[in-house]
Amino acid sequence: MFKNFKSVDKTAYGRGSFDKLGEILAPHRHEGNKYLIFFVDEYFEGNQAFEARIPMEAGDALEYISVKEEPTTELIDSLRDKYLAEKGMPSGVVGIGGGSVLDVAKAISLMFTNEGSSTLYQGLNLIKKPGLFACGVPTISGTGAEVSMTAVLTGPEKKLGLKCDWTVLDQIVLDPDLIASVPNNQWFYTGMDNYIHCVEAKTGQYKNTFSEAFGDKSLEMCRKVFLELDRKDPLSDEMMMVASYMGGLSLTYSEVGVCHALSYGLSKVLHYHHGIANCIAFNVLKDVYGEYVDEFKFIVNKHNVDIPSNLSANWSDETIDAMVEVAIKLEHMWRHAFGDNWPEVLDRARIKEWYKRM
Amino acid sequence: MFKNFKSVDKTAYGRGSFDKLGEILAPHRHEGNKYLIFFVDEYFEGNQAFEARIPMEAGDALEYISVKEEPTTELIDSLRDKYLAEKGMPSGVVGIGGGSVLDVAKAISLMFTNEGSSTLYQGLNLIKKPGLFACGVPTISGTGAEVSMTAVLTGPEKKLGLKCDWTVLDQIVLDPDLIASVPNNQWFYTGMDNYIHCVEAKTGQYKNTFSEAFGDKSLEMCRKVFLELDRKDPLSDEMMMVASYMGGLSLTYSEVGVCHALSYGLSKVLHYHHGIANCIAFNVLKDVYGEYVDEFKFIVNKHNVDIPSNLSANWSDETIDAMVEVAIKLEHMWRHAFGDNWPEVLDRARIKEWYKRM
């Protein structure tokens, strides 16, 4: 598998680096109508101490992003149209939040320069022009969105990313202090998103030595965070942040697998968030991921986290069938997990069976 | 320590990726006088099978680089002047070889756009303008030059790198097949260069969790290559290449230390190559690097490699003093290794004592 992958152009890592954001953004304020839009997780709305640290200048815009639902093509299109009408072309965008907010920043930076609806560009290499300058500041770690070349969007037809070299952020600021106050459940689900995609990356045909080195180191740090360190230990946030960065890079030369395919169905049809949807799915995948599922359950137990189960009793056949249809279309994931002959071991009945176990 | 580090823009990793080089370079042939210069390690001169794989097109230039001496400011200046006079501004440059050849490509890409001698720019952030497109294809692994922001040059005054964001390569092609035929001693010295700078990175005040994650994983792969795998095992070349990549990144948020300071003296005054100079120095640094030096000696023994020793008996006092003067000027390395109060534990006499042990 030959890939020539694009890296995030510049990376600032370290405690307190968030306070350097103004300095980092300064050289990027000169294009277009000379203003930046800050997309910020609504979790911070009204947190005056935090808001005061966002380096806004006269003319800049701040847009709180609801993360109740994952970002939709409609949200991206309407935000783009609103800003173009009201303030003209920005110089760039900054996302401050979790994977959803980073994906909003990545997607909208592209949609300012590519015409029409973002639904036109869901898929690989459909984008025609580079986007505006885009900076990401994760406030929760585990999604890998800070380094990935995907901005995942839910559209009327499908949940699928805008994916091309230009989707990759231009700048990331990784400040472990920012993830210290993440609520426990969210911290856990998102951290386990990283655990799960590292496992998927290494258990499929596309992995190589590059991918395994990043994924294995990420898993090692994940285990340290979840099984050894106290969450109050500053090293815990530092390791989680670096694990997420490395986990994202492990996917550069590999792919997600069965769990993500099922999880996309849960998110598209039942609106589960990505992190918890992955946990719900991974929890029933012992036949595919064996001892990793045992380890997952051990970690869940240790942290006393609630992974929703017995859900399918309340799902109609139509609901399950709808999720199966979402999942089965994700052929690149099945091909990675089961090889080129995946249709021989995978059919709608098997996918349905997994959903029924949830 | 706040840093906002620049990454290599695009990375292709994998067996056979060298054969994609033509395709990778195609979009970069349009600037200037529309030709590329390939700087190739003289090791490959006359190797027709290899030469045939270099994707040269009409008008391109090929320049074999002698690696008997490490690259000098004079070499860079004279090559730049020659090509400007004979063929005009190139579209970009490609380095195919070890750390020296990659550093030639990095340095000359900057010197095509920055006026005057490269001696003017030895140091941090002295370069005024971005360079031409520069691509690196390592044929030996361990220096970390493929990801570093330094192009080390030996000038009339000093051995010191051109170092700024623009020094970082735009493209790297990491093909493990290319390092399979490296002669054993060279393979060993260069691999141990990686081992040594990972150890230095983690044993000093500038390290952080980001640096340690990369350095520790790199060391783990180094140990696997040198202590477990047969060199003929394809995994050996793959791991060495990824270890070098990660080892280089571990220095992004840390520094080299005592061994590199002494090694620079050996190279500047006695013209030892970087890899072997590091091994000569590390071999006598048990008082600084403790168990890592024991491990180093164990690996040296296992591989039956000759690390030159008893050298100082033939060195005059003037020679040693000259090396001490080179080394003591590398304050950032001493500060990293011994802390801000390094002058309290380090003087010329102590440095001289280390050289006398060699």
Side-chain angles (χ1 to χ4, degrees):
Chain A
M1 182 177 59
F2 171 73
K3 275 190 198 168
N4 190 15
F5 79 84
K6 173 86 177 65
S7 295
V8 169
D9 195 46
K10 296 190 82 173
T11 301
Y13 167 85
R15 288 189 183 283
S17 52
F18 184 50
D19 293 324
K20 302 282 186 176
L21 184 60
E23 186 183 308
I24 289 168
L25 296 175
H28 302 285
R29 290 181 163 281
H30 306 295
E31 303 296 316
N33 264 7
K34 299 188 178 22
Y35 76 102
L36 295 174
I37 312 175
F38 292 81
F39 297 101
V40 181
D41 193 319
E42 63 173 358
Y43 172 77
F44 295 104
E45 192 164 4
N47 179 338
Q48 292 177 355
F50 189 86
E51 286 170 340
R53 296 177 67 197
I54 301 173
M56 289 183 66
E57 298 193 359
D60 286 351
L62 189 153
E63 186 79 42
Y64 282 107
I65 298 294
S66 164
V67 291
K68 282 192 203 77
E69 300 275 330
E70 299 195 326
T72 61
T73 50
E74 197 191 340
L75 172 74
I76 299 300
D77 296 350
S78 65
L79 282 171
R80 184 257 322 260
D81 295 343
K82 177 180 104 169
Y83 280 99
L84 283 181
E86 289 177 7
K87 291 172 71 77
M89 187 69 83
S91 306
V93 299
V94 183
I96 303 175
S100 289
V101 177
L102 300 186
D103 280 359
V104 166
K106 289 153 85 172
I108 206 165
S109 101
L110 293 168
M111 295 315 300
F112 271 116
T113 55
N114 287 273
E115 286 171 21
S117 167
S118 50
T119 55
L120 299 171
Y121 305 104
Q122 284 180 284
L124 182 63
N125 292 333
L126 301 176
I127 289 283
K128 309 281 184 227
K129 297 176 198 163
L132 301 180
F133 169 80
C135 170
V137 185
T139 61
I140 185 167
S141 285
T143 66
E146 64 275 34
V147 289
S148 79
M149 63 185 288
T150 312
V152 183
L153 296 181
T154 304
E157 300 286 322
K158 51 197 170 189
K159 178 177 174 184
L160 190 62
L162 312 186
K163 186 169 184 179
C164 68
D165 282 350
W166 297 316
T167 317
V168 178
L169 288 162
D170 299 296
Q171 169 79 57
I172 55 177
V173 178
L174 306 177
D175 185 340
D177 280 340
L178 295 183
I179 66 171
S181 63
V182 174
N184 236 38
N185 268 18
Q186 196 54 29
W187 169 81
F188 183 87
Y189 296 139
T190 312
M192 289 314 277
D193 179 12
N194 182 49
Y195 176 91
I196 291 167
H197 62 233
C198 287
V199 168
E200 290 177 297
K202 70 179 286 170
T203 50
Q205 66 171 353
Y206 291 134
K207 70 158 182 190
N208 63 18
T209 302
F210 186 99
S211 168
E212 274 199 304
F214 279 90
D216 285 347
K217 185 66 189 175
S218 181
L219 279 174
E220 181 193 314
M221 286 188 283
C222 247
R223 289 185 183 111
K224 183 123 180 151
V225 166
F226 285 123
L227 295 172
E228 290 180 41
L229 296 174
D230 189 292
R231 213 195 135 182
K232 290 193 194 75
D233 184 335
L235 191 57
S236 168
D237 293 328
E238 294 171 10
M239 282 208 163
M240 188 74 118
M241 200 152 231
V242 178
S244 176
Y245 177 90
M246 286 188 153
L249 288 175
S250 84
L251 288 175
T252 301
Y253 272 107
S254 193
E255 257 300 341
V256 291
V258 177
C259 182
H260 270 70
L262 300 180
S263 156
Y264 272 35
L266 287 165
S267 293
K268 177 81 180 88
V269 176
L270 294 172
H271 306 277
Y272 280 100
H273 278 219
H274 183 64
I276 196 168
N278 274 342
C279 288
I280 292 169
F282 201 70
N283 207 27
V284 304
L285 285 170
K286 167 102 182 175
D287 54 328
V288 182
Y289 295 114
E291 64 192 19
Y292 293 108
V293 176
D294 296 335
E295 182 173 58
F296 170 83
K297 290 185 180 196
F298 182 80
I299 297 172
V300 166
N301 244 343
K302 180 175 186 301
H303 284 270
N304 248 319
V305 172
D306 175 44
I307 306 293
S309 58
N310 299 318
L311 298 167
S312 63
N314 297 312
W315 293 341
S316 68
D317 258 2
E318 290 70 33
T319 296
I320 296 181
D321 288 342
M323 294 194 285
V324 170
E325 288 311 307
V326 171
I328 204 165
K329 287 201 184 76
L330 297 161
E331 297 190 7
H332 52 299
M333 303 182 191
W334 303 118
R335 187 169 293 112
H336 170 60
F338 295 126
D340 292 334
N341 297 327
W342 64 269
E344 289 171 18
V345 296
L346 199 272
D347 58 13
R348 286 178 170 76
R350 189 167 179 199
I351 300 176
K352 193 162 184 168
E353 169 60 24
W354 283 317
Y355 278 117
K356 286 198 159 170
R357 284 191 216 156
M358 296 179 192
Chain B
M1 182 177 59
F2 171 72
K3 275 190 198 168
N4 190 16
F5 78 83
K6 172 85 176 68
S7 295
V8 169
D9 194 47
K10 295 191 83 172
T11 302
Y13 167 85
R15 289 190 182 280
S17 52
F18 184 50
D19 293 323
K20 301 283 186 175
L21 184 59
E23 184 184 309
I24 288 168
L25 296 174
H28 302 286
R29 291 182 163 279
H30 307 294
E31 301 297 314
N33 264 5
K34 299 188 176 23
Y35 76 101
L36 296 174
I37 312 175
F38 292 81
F39 297 101
V40 180
D41 193 319
E42 63 173 357
Y43 172 78
F44 295 105
E45 193 166 1
N47 179 337
Q48 291 177 356
F50 189 84
E51 286 170 339
R53 294 177 67 197
I54 301 173
M56 290 183 65
E57 297 193 0
D60 286 352
L62 189 153
E63 185 80 43
Y64 281 106
I65 299 293
S66 164
V67 293
K68 281 194 202 76
E69 300 275 331
E70 299 194 327
T72 61
T73 51
E74 198 193 337
L75 173 75
I76 300 299
D77 296 350
S78 65
L79 282 172
R80 183 254 326 257
D81 295 343
K82 176 180 106 169
Y83 279 100
L84 283 181
E86 290 177 5
K87 292 172 69 80
M89 187 69 84
S91 306
V93 299
V94 183
I96 303 175
S100 289
V101 177
L102 300 186
D103 280 0
V104 166
K106 288 152 85 172
I108 207 164
S109 99
L110 293 168
M111 295 315 300
F112 271 114
T113 55
N114 288 272
E115 286 170 20
S117 168
S118 50
T119 56
L120 298 171
Y121 304 104
Q122 284 181 283
L124 183 62
N125 292 333
L126 301 176
I127 289 283
K128 310 285 182 221
K129 297 176 197 162
L132 302 181
F133 169 79
C135 170
V137 185
T139 60
I140 185 165
S141 285
T143 66
E146 65 273 33
V147 289
S148 80
M149 64 185 286
T150 312
V152 183
L153 296 182
T154 303
E157 301 287 322
K158 51 197 170 191
K159 178 178 175 184
L160 190 62
L162 311 186
K163 187 169 182 177
C164 69
D165 282 352
W166 297 316
T167 317
V168 179
L169 289 163
D170 299 297
Q171 169 80 57
I172 53 177
V173 177
L174 306 176
D175 185 339
D177 280 340
L178 294 183
I179 66 172
S181 62
V182 174
N184 235 39
N185 269 20
Q186 197 51 32
W187 169 81
F188 184 85
Y189 296 139
T190 312
M192 289 314 276
D193 179 12
N194 182 49
Y195 176 90
I196 291 167
H197 63 234
C198 287
V199 168
E200 290 177 297
K202 69 179 285 170
T203 50
Q205 68 173 351
Y206 291 134
K207 69 159 183 189
N208 63 17
T209 302
F210 186 98
S211 167
E212 275 200 303
F214 279 90
D216 285 347
K217 185 65 189 177
S218 181
L219 280 176
E220 181 192 314
M221 285 188 284
C222 248
R223 289 185 183 112
K224 182 122 179 153
V225 166
F226 285 124
L227 295 172
E228 289 181 42
L229 295 175
D230 188 293
R231 214 196 136 182
K232 291 193 195 75
D233 185 335
L235 191 57
S236 169
D237 294 327
E238 293 171 12
M239 283 208 163
M240 188 74 118
M241 199 151 232
V242 179
S244 175
Y245 177 90
M246 286 187 152
L249 289 175
S250 85
L251 288 174
T252 302
Y253 271 108
S254 193
E255 256 301 342
V256 291
V258 177
C259 182
H260 270 70
L262 300 181
S263 155
Y264 273 35
L266 287 166
S267 294
K268 177 80 179 87
V269 177
L270 294 173
H271 307 277
Y272 280 99
H273 277 221
H274 183 64
I276 195 168
N278 274 342
C279 288
I280 292 169
F282 201 71
N283 206 28
V284 304
L285 286 170
K286 167 102 183 175
D287 56 327
V288 182
Y289 295 114
E291 63 191 19
Y292 294 109
V293 176
D294 298 335
E295 182 172 59
F296 170 82
K297 290 184 180 195
F298 182 81
I299 297 173
V300 165
N301 246 341
K302 180 176 186 300
H303 284 270
N304 248 320
V305 172
D306 174 45
I307 305 294
S309 59
N310 300 316
L311 299 168
S312 63
N314 297 313
W315 293 342
S316 68
D317 258 3
E318 291 71 34
T319 296
I320 295 181
D321 288 342
M323 292 194 286
V324 171
E325 288 313 307
V326 172
I328 203 165
K329 286 200 186 77
L330 297 161
E331 297 190 6
H332 53 297
M333 302 182 191
W334 304 118
R335 186 169 292 113
H336 170 61
F338 295 126
D340 291 333
N341 298 326
W342 65 270
E344 289 170 18
V345 298
L346 198 272
D347 57 12
R348 286 178 170 76
R350 188 167 180 200
I351 299 177
K352 193 163 184 167
E353 168 61 25
W354 283 317
Y355 279 118
K356 285 196 160 172
R357 283 190 216 156
M358 294 179 194

